[in-house]
């Protein structure tokens, strides 16, 4: 466990304190590096684009029917006791109303467009052990999900062992992928990656999405599709980021797709990346990205081992942003942020407390406990030497890798011409009011005389 590697003796001398500080840095940085190893492997071994399959049969006209509502209640007082039973019995346009309870299910909503809504986000929890890439609490292709907590738990157990027949069945369902690759990854809290998404929308409203393993939300787009998060909390407690999005790997399912994140919070407690974007077929796909009033809490490590060399993000790295902010130059550079302080450092004592809180939250397996960990808005730098601190053998950045909080991967492994160097993405003009400056198309909006802009590093503005 992380905290067991930290000396708890409060009466340590200066030499022991030095060891304690360095040990905590190493534990955090090494954990982040180990946990992102799966992302490194995924970037190094991208599935190759495959020939386009025959176009799926066009949707046949359907008879008009009245949408129905089904109540899901674990005590048997509703129509069904499990969410999956409701999904299996519902038809397009139907609504599942989830009553309070902790539902331990890996729910799959494929080939249907449903409304799934909880009575209360805090009381209606869908969770599952994401030991396997294929056991997300919620796998969905289209529809509306609201007022739920979706929690990808980690039991710490090893990967599942499948029979040859089970592996053959999984491989028959995959296009351009295989179980041999998937077995190396844990599951997301929410997984969106189905041809049914083509031309459709999937939206999450007032949801809390937490992952202790992989990315919180894993998204494989399809052409003419839209993915929306509004008033949601996306929380990464493990080696993945809050959102991972990639385009399809077949021409047939390609086209423009959109991602909208509005009035949300994103917190990455351990992984150095908050979002991850990957381009497979830029000649056939594009991303329209819209971020509005989204608050981000990110971490950045002094240790280079937490970062991935294949990240081709072309935006300012954290060190450059910190230097601009310190010099009062963010506004001069045309950048804005909703955070009172965009880049800040964690002290030695705060770091030790942070590690303890992180481990305690993971040990409880309680969604409410997880989101109470204090990680301020902005980018928190961890493992750096404090002013006036004399620490031997301290870990310092090598300068060989750029420290970014957004990971960008292109098929060519080279920077592209789109947003942050992605081959096929652009930021819409409707993007504003966000923590991360690269998420703001409207960087310094016009304001009336005497009204502060969203962000300024000028001390004269009173912040």
């Amino acid at each position: 466990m992380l905290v067991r590697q930290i000396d708890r003796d409060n009466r340590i001398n200066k030499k022991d304190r030095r060891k304690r500080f360095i040990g905590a840095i190493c534990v955090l940085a090494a954990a982040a590096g180990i946990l992102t190893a799966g992302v490194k492997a995924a970037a190094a071994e991208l599935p190759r684009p495959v020939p386009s399959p025959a176009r799926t049969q066009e949707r046949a006209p359907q008879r008009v029917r009245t949408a129905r509502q089904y109540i899901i209640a674990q005590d048997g007082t509703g129509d069904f006791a499990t969410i999956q039973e409701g999904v299996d019995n519902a038809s397009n346009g139907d609504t599942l109303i989830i009553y309070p309870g902790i539902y331990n299910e890996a729910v799959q909503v494929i080939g249907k467009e449903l409304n799934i809504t909880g009575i209360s986000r805090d009381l209606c929890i869908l969770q599952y052990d994401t030991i396997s890439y294929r056991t997300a609490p919620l796998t969905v292709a289209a529809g509306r999900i609201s007022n739920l907590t979706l929690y990808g738990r980690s039991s710490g157990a090893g990967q599942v062992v499948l029979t040859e027949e089970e592996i053959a069945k999984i491989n028959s369902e995959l296009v351009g992928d295989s179980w041999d690759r998937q077995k190396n990854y844990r599951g997301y809290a929410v997984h969106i990656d189905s041809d049914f998404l083509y031309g459709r929308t999937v939206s999450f409203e007032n949801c809390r999405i937490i992952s202790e393993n992989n990315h919180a939300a894993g998204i494989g787009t399809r052409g003419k599709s839209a993915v929306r998060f509004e008033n949601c909390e996306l929380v990464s407690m493990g080696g993945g980021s809050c959102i991972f999005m990639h385009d399809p790997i077949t021409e047939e399912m390609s086209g423009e797709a959109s991602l909208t994140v509005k009035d949300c919070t994103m917190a990455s407690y351990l992984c150095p990346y908050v979002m991850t974007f990957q381009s497979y077929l830029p000649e056939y796909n594009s991303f329209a990205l819209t971020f509005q009033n989204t608050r981000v809490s990110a971490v950045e490590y002094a240790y280079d081992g937490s970062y991935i060399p294949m990240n081709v993000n072309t935006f300012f790295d954290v060190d450059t942003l910190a230097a601009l902010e310190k010099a009062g130059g963010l506004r001069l550079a045309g950048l804005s942020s909703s955070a009172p302080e965009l880049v800040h450092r964690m002290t030695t004592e705060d770091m030790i407390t942070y590690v303890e809180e992180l481990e305690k939250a993971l040990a409880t397996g309680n969604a409410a406990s997880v989101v109470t960990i204090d990680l301020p808005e902005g980018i928190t730098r961890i493992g750096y030497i404090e002013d006036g601190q004399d620490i031997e053998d301290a870990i310092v950045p090598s300068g060989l890798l750029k420290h970014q909080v957004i990971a960008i991967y292109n098929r060519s492994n080279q920077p592209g011409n789109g947003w942050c160097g992605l081959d096929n993405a652009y930021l819409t003009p409707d993007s504003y009011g966000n923590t991360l400056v690269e998420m703001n198309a409207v960087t310094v909006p016009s304001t009336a005389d005497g009204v502060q802009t969203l962000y300024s590093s000028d001390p004269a503005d009173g912040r």
Side-chain angles (χ1 to χ4, degrees):
M1 302 297 279
L2 296 179
V3 175
R4 292 176 183 172
Q5 299 181 51
I6 299 175
D7 184 357
R8 298 178 181 273
D9 188 354
N10 293 323
R11 297 172 296 175
I12 54 177
N13 56 32
K14 183 176 182 180
K15 181 177 181 181
D16 288 335
R17 181 179 179 80
R18 180 183 302 128
K19 292 180 179 179
R20 182 183 186 188
F21 173 69
I22 296 172
I25 297 171
C26 292
V27 167
L28 272 176
I34 291 171
L35 289 167
T36 54
V39 180
K40 297 179 185 180
E45 300 179 8
L46 306 182
R48 296 183 179 180
V50 298
S52 302
R55 176 171 286 279
T56 54
Q57 186 176 6
E58 297 293 335
R59 281 177 279 171
Q62 296 181 349
R63 295 179 181 178
V64 177
R65 64 180 290 274
T66 302
R68 297 188 59 183
Q69 289 187 349
Y70 298 97
I71 293 176
I72 313 300
Q74 291 179 319
D75 62 4
T77 58
D79 298 294
F80 305 102
T82 69
I83 299 174
Q84 188 64 60
E85 285 180 297
V87 169
D88 293 342
N89 286 276
S91 301
N92 276 333
D94 288 348
T95 297
L96 305 183
I97 300 176
I98 314 300
Y99 273 38
I102 298 177
Y103 295 80
N104 288 286
E105 304 182 51
V107 175
Q108 295 195 357
V109 188
I110 303 298
K112 296 180 180 181
E113 197 164 353
L114 304 177
N115 300 312
I116 303 177
T117 183
I119 297 295
S120 164
R121 179 175 71 177
D122 294 327
L123 300 179
C124 301
I125 301 172
L126 172 57
Q127 66 179 31
Y128 205 73
D129 185 357
T130 50
I131 184 176
S132 169
Y133 181 80
R134 301 174 68 85
T135 57
L138 179 63
T139 299
V140 64
R144 175 176 175 266
I145 316 299
S146 60
N147 300 328
L148 290 175
T149 289
L150 306 164
Y151 191 4
R153 298 284 308 283
S154 174
S155 66
Q159 182 58 273
V160 295
V161 178
L162 302 179
T163 66
E164 292 184 4
E165 291 76 13
E166 290 171 326
I167 293 174
K169 182 179 184 299
I170 290 174
N171 285 334
S172 69
E173 300 170 352
L174 301 176
V175 177
D177 207 346
S178 68
W179 171 250
D180 191 56
R181 191 188 75 90
Q182 289 188 357
K183 70 181 182 181
N184 297 313
Y185 309 109
R186 300 298 179 98
Y188 309 113
V190 169
H191 197 181
I192 305 164
D193 194 353
S194 168
D195 287 350
F196 189 74
L197 178 59
Y198 188 95
R200 294 182 170 88
T201 296
V202 58
S203 65
F204 296 83
E205 300 170 13
N206 194 38
C207 288
R208 179 178 292 130
I209 304 171
I210 305 171
S211 177
E212 293 185 7
N213 280 314
N214 211 329
H215 308 279
I219 305 167
T221 66
R222 298 298 189 270
K224 303 177 184 178
S225 68
V227 180
R228 296 180 56 88
F229 297 92
E230 185 168 352
N231 193 32
C232 290
E233 296 178 16
L234 295 110
V235 180
S236 166
M237 298 289 293
S241 56
C242 294
I243 293 177
F244 169 53
M245 191 167 91
H246 66 81
D247 53 6
I249 61 175
T250 63
E251 178 184 348
E252 191 72 13
M253 288 292 113
S254 293
E256 180 171 270
S258 68
L259 170 68
T260 301
V261 183
K262 180 180 180 182
D263 299 327
C264 293
T265 61
M266 289 193 285
S268 181
Y269 286 98
L270 187 59
C271 179
Y273 300 114
V274 170
M275 292 186 291
T276 305
F277 294 89
Q278 198 163 41
S279 170
Y280 288 142
L281 284 182
E283 56 268 51
Y284 298 111
N285 295 291
S286 62
F287 295 150
L289 306 177
T290 302
F291 302 102
Q292 294 180 352
N293 300 319
T294 292
R295 305 293 181 256
V296 174
S297 299
V299 293
E300 183 249 346
Y301 296 98
Y303 179 50
D304 277 350
S306 302
Y307 295 89
I308 300 175
M310 294 173 66
N311 180 10
V312 296
N313 192 319
T314 57
F315 198 76
F316 294 139
D317 60 9
V318 178
D319 202 49
T320 301
L321 289 172
L324 282 170
E325 182 172 38
K326 186 176 181 180
L330 282 178
R331 175 183 283 179
L332 295 178
L335 305 176
S336 63
S337 168
S338 60
E341 184 180 17
L342 178 58
V343 183
H344 39 86
R345 290 188 181 184
M346 187 177 287
T347 66
T348 305
E349 293 301 326
D350 287 344
M351 182 185 66
I352 294 171
T353 301
Y354 177 73
V355 175
E356 292 174 342
E357 290 179 348
L358 182 62
E359 185 182 47
K360 185 184 298 182
L362 290 171
T364 63
N366 186 322
S369 173
V370 165
V371 295
T372 60
I373 301 174
D374 183 25
L375 188 62
E377 181 184 0
I379 304 170
T380 299
R381 313 191 80 178
I382 298 178
Y384 287 85
I385 302 173
E386 299 172 36
D387 293 339
Q389 200 167 27
D390 179 21
I391 298 182
E392 298 174 359
D393 303 322
I395 298 173
V396 295
S398 67
L400 299 178
L401 294 178
K402 292 175 67 176
H403 293 194
Q404 303 276 7
V405 294
I406 296 177
I408 301 292
Y409 302 114
N410 291 323
R411 184 180 63 195
S412 64
N413 294 329
Q414 299 296 321
N417 296 320
W419 175 76
C420 288
L422 194 66
D423 277 333
N424 57 350
Y426 64 93
L427 194 64
T428 70
D430 296 325
S431 299
Y432 58 83
N434 307 290
T435 302
L436 299 183
V437 292
E438 56 265 57
M439 291 165 60
N440 292 320
V442 181
T443 54
V444 183
S446 58
T447 57
D449 291 342
V451 177
Q452 295 180 0
T453 55
L454 288 175
Y455 180 83
S456 171
S457 54
D458 184 354
D461 70 4
R463 287 196 172 188

